[in-house]
Amino acid sequence: MDDLPQHLIIDILSRLTDSTDLARCRLACKTLNTISYDVKTVNLFCSFDRYAKSRSPVTKSSITPFKTAFINLIAKLRSLESISIGVEKPLRGVSFDDVEDDSEDLYLTDVHFVSVWLPLVSQSLKTLSFSDFWIQSCWRRSDLLALISRHCQKLIKLDVKNAWLSVLGLNPMPALVSLTLEFIRLDDEDLGKVNDCFPNLQILNLIGVGGLVQPKIHLHHLKTCQWTVSNAPLSLTIWAPKLVELKLECVKPALLVLKTPLLSDFHLSLEKASEFEIKDPLNLDNLELLSLDLYSLIFTVLLGKTLRSLSLDSPNKVQLVERAKLSFDGLFEAFPNISSLKLGPGAYSELETSFSIEGLKGRVGMKELKELTVHLVISNIGLTSAFISSILFKCSNLSSVAFLIPRDLDSLLARSLISRCMAGCARVSWKWGMWQEGNKDAWLSDGVWL
């Protein structure tokens, strides 16, 4: 250790995923103790084991309170750039029934606690992350954002999870470029304060943020956005002229408005939008759609003719013939230039049902398709074989095909289907695997055999 340059030791200590080890290093030798005060990063998370011991009458007196341990750890740090404080994932699963007191020992967004240490380290701080203990934080409104905005004008990235946040007293933070709010109750119904106080955001993640009524994202510099919305908001609006990548998950908004002319990568998951308004034509490269009503989304919304990669799925497989509106021909009428197509089990089921009614006529655009990945749903192996054969014939430039067979399909039927599909189609590079809802896809190349 004595032979290592001091800056390298600091870099190693700054990379510790659990800064409890930093405290241990201070006890190891004088050199490490001295150098430890120059670390750039601190990550401290309360484990379930620590939580349980702090509650047990037998071990409670031997456990240093978590907040005290954190303050002791960062005290006198000279050039801290990144702080992550929170509870570990197993602890987040603790229910209200398991807690009988009104403790706030793990209420980590408490401004009284944060105001003790934040002003001491704020000058050099660039990244700040909180993952609060929901049982203690959900009914306590925090002025954390206002406190951070007063002290952390150089902050670039802010993450807050599992808290109730007020925007009262929030000041502009022009240096902030990345904001993540996850499982947050936010007192900002229309996101007006977020827009006004974080004007230079380039990355915005709003995941399970409650308290919104008619939220509008209006950010000039935003490039990447992930927004997971409950069914509460009546309308959703995104005005972001530089947005390139958007992942939007919502339920059934009455109005969805997008003004995102540069959007190229769009992941959209929703049941149905009563009204879908796109202010500017989209020039998408990649589109992922998950919806109960794929047909309406595809044919009532102009999602762009420039699309090259398309992924479709529906939460439920088609059970009734009359529900199957989406056809393979219709797909290429809407997206004539796609070269890569991925079909989840729900989307494939609907397309196969449509094929059983009207067959496959063939579109000019089908000749553009080169890559096809499908999660097969097999109720009639003859129908499935006929549908696949028609696709291979009409899509004459297909060069790469990946099919995933339901894991519960009889192995003899599976082998028969594979033989039928591959017969007489030497131009295609084949890949086979198995899928099961709730499990990771398994490919034959990964050592899984039918």
Side-chain angles (χ1 to χ4, degrees):
M1 182 69 72
D2 293 335
D3 296 332
L4 290 175
Q6 181 170 315
H7 74 275
L8 186 56
I9 299 175
I10 293 173
D11 186 56
I12 292 171
L13 295 178
S14 297
R15 293 174 183 268
L16 293 173
T17 55
D18 182 359
S19 291
T20 303
D21 295 330
L22 181 64
R24 297 189 181 103
C25 288
R26 288 176 175 175
L27 300 175
C29 67
K30 290 183 178 180
T31 300
L32 285 178
N33 181 55
T34 301
I35 293 175
S36 70
Y37 291 97
D38 289 317
V39 296
K40 306 295 183 184
T41 302
V42 164
N43 303 300
L44 194 65
F45 294 88
C46 181
S47 66
F48 182 84
D49 182 61
R50 182 190 184 98
Y51 170 79
K53 288 180 178 180
S54 71
R55 294 305 192 266
S56 171
V58 178
T59 56
K60 183 177 182 178
S61 60
S62 64
I63 300 298
T64 302
F66 182 75
K67 290 181 178 179
T68 302
F70 177 79
I71 292 173
N72 291 340
L73 180 66
I74 68 170
K76 300 180 181 179
L77 292 181
R78 292 182 276 263
S79 54
L80 201 55
E81 295 181 356
S82 176
I83 293 177
S84 293
I85 179 173
V87 298
E88 292 185 347
K89 285 186 177 181
L91 189 53
R92 297 175 205 168
V94 175
S95 68
F96 287 94
D97 295 335
D98 299 324
V99 180
E100 298 179 353
D101 55 34
D102 294 334
S103 300
E104 56 182 43
D105 56 323
L106 290 178
Y107 174 33
L108 303 179
T109 54
D110 176 15
V111 292
H112 299 294
F113 162 62
V114 180
S115 62
V116 172
W117 54 268
L118 185 62
L120 304 177
V121 298
S122 60
Q123 291 303 310
S124 57
L125 204 59
K126 296 179 180 177
T127 301
L128 184 57
S129 175
F130 293 86
S131 181
D132 214 338
F133 187 32
W134 181 246
I135 290 177
Q136 293 187 11
S137 65
C138 68
W139 55 280
R140 293 179 167 109
R141 179 162 47 195
S142 171
D143 292 321
L144 177 72
L145 294 179
L147 180 66
I148 293 173
S149 69
R150 285 199 299 271
H151 294 284
C152 302
Q153 284 301 309
K154 295 180 181 178
L155 198 68
I156 295 173
K157 181 180 180 181
L158 174 62
D159 296 354
V160 186
K161 300 178 181 179
N162 311 318
W164 179 8
L165 298 179
S166 168
V167 294
L168 188 65
L170 178 60
N171 299 313
M173 297 182 66
L176 197 73
V177 297
S178 177
L179 175 65
T180 296
L181 301 178
E182 185 171 345
F183 301 118
I184 296 293
R185 179 178 173 183
L186 185 66
D187 292 351
D188 190 15
E189 292 184 351
D190 62 357
L191 293 178
K193 291 291 285 186
V194 169
N195 294 323
D196 292 342
C197 295
F198 309 125
N200 296 316
L201 284 179
Q202 296 181 25
I203 300 171
L204 176 61
N205 300 310
L206 301 175
I207 303 170
V209 175
L212 306 179
V213 179
Q214 291 185 319
K216 299 177 178 67
I217 293 175
H218 193 146
L219 295 165
H220 290 265
H221 304 283
L222 193 65
K223 295 180 179 178
T224 302
C225 180
Q226 180 178 351
W227 196 2
T228 302
V229 193
S230 71
N231 60 351
L234 301 176
S235 66
L236 305 174
T237 300
I238 300 177
W239 191 98
K242 295 183 179 180
L243 189 67
V244 175
E245 181 178 352
L246 173 61
K247 184 175 183 180
L248 177 60
E249 298 181 25
C250 46
V251 182
K252 202 173 183 179
L255 176 63
L256 179 57
V257 180
L258 297 181
K259 187 174 179 61
T260 54
L262 297 184
L263 187 64
S264 63
D265 193 340
F266 189 16
H267 175 111
L268 177 61
S269 173
L270 82 169
E271 285 186 13
K272 186 177 181 180
S274 301
E275 187 176 347
F276 199 137
E277 183 178 344
I278 297 179
K279 295 292 187 181
D280 298 296
L282 296 180
N283 295 306
L284 298 176
D285 292 325
N286 177 52
L287 173 64
E288 295 184 33
L289 284 180
L290 175 64
S291 175
L292 288 170
D293 194 2
L294 289 173
Y295 179 86
S296 294
L297 264 181
I298 289 172
F299 289 99
T300 61
V301 182
L302 297 177
L303 293 169
K305 300 290 186 179
T306 61
L307 195 69
R308 303 297 294 172
S309 178
L310 176 64
S311 178
L312 298 176
D313 200 11
S314 174
N316 298 317
K317 295 185 286 293
V318 175
Q319 301 295 330
L320 301 175
V321 168
E322 52 267 29
R323 277 194 56 201
K325 298 179 181 178
L326 184 63
S327 69
F328 209 74
D329 287 295
L331 203 58
F332 283 87
E333 179 183 344
F335 306 111
N337 296 307
I338 56 173
S339 60
S340 176
L341 176 62
K342 295 181 180 179
L343 299 173
Y348 173 80
S349 179
E350 185 163 352
L351 292 173
E352 186 184 86
T353 303
S354 179
F355 170 78
S356 70
I357 301 169
E358 57 189 48
L360 186 59
K361 301 179 179 64
R363 298 277 177 177
V364 174
M366 292 182 185
K367 297 186 182 300
E368 297 293 324
L369 190 64
K370 295 179 174 61
E371 299 178 2
L372 177 64
T373 301
V374 180
H375 288 71
L376 296 172
V377 177
I378 303 171
S379 56
N380 182 325
I381 194 168
L383 175 60
T384 300
S385 297
F387 186 32
I388 293 173
S389 296
S390 295
I391 292 174
L392 293 173
F393 178 72
K394 299 293 185 181
C395 303
S396 55
N397 288 318
L398 262 178
S399 58
S400 177
V401 176
F403 284 160
L404 291 120
I405 296 173
R407 188 179 289 271
D408 58 358
L409 185 67
D410 179 80
S411 60
L412 292 178
L413 289 177
R415 292 179 185 276
S416 173
L417 178 64
I418 291 174
S419 298
R420 292 188 193 186
C421 291
M422 297 179 66
C425 205
R427 77 174 192 278
V428 172
S429 172
W430 291 91
K431 187 177 182 181
W432 293 89
M434 292 186 292
W435 73 272
Q436 185 176 41
E437 190 171 354
N439 293 326
K440 185 179 178 180
D441 294 341
W443 298 96
L444 299 185
S445 56
D446 298 330
V448 179
W449 299 95
L450 295 169

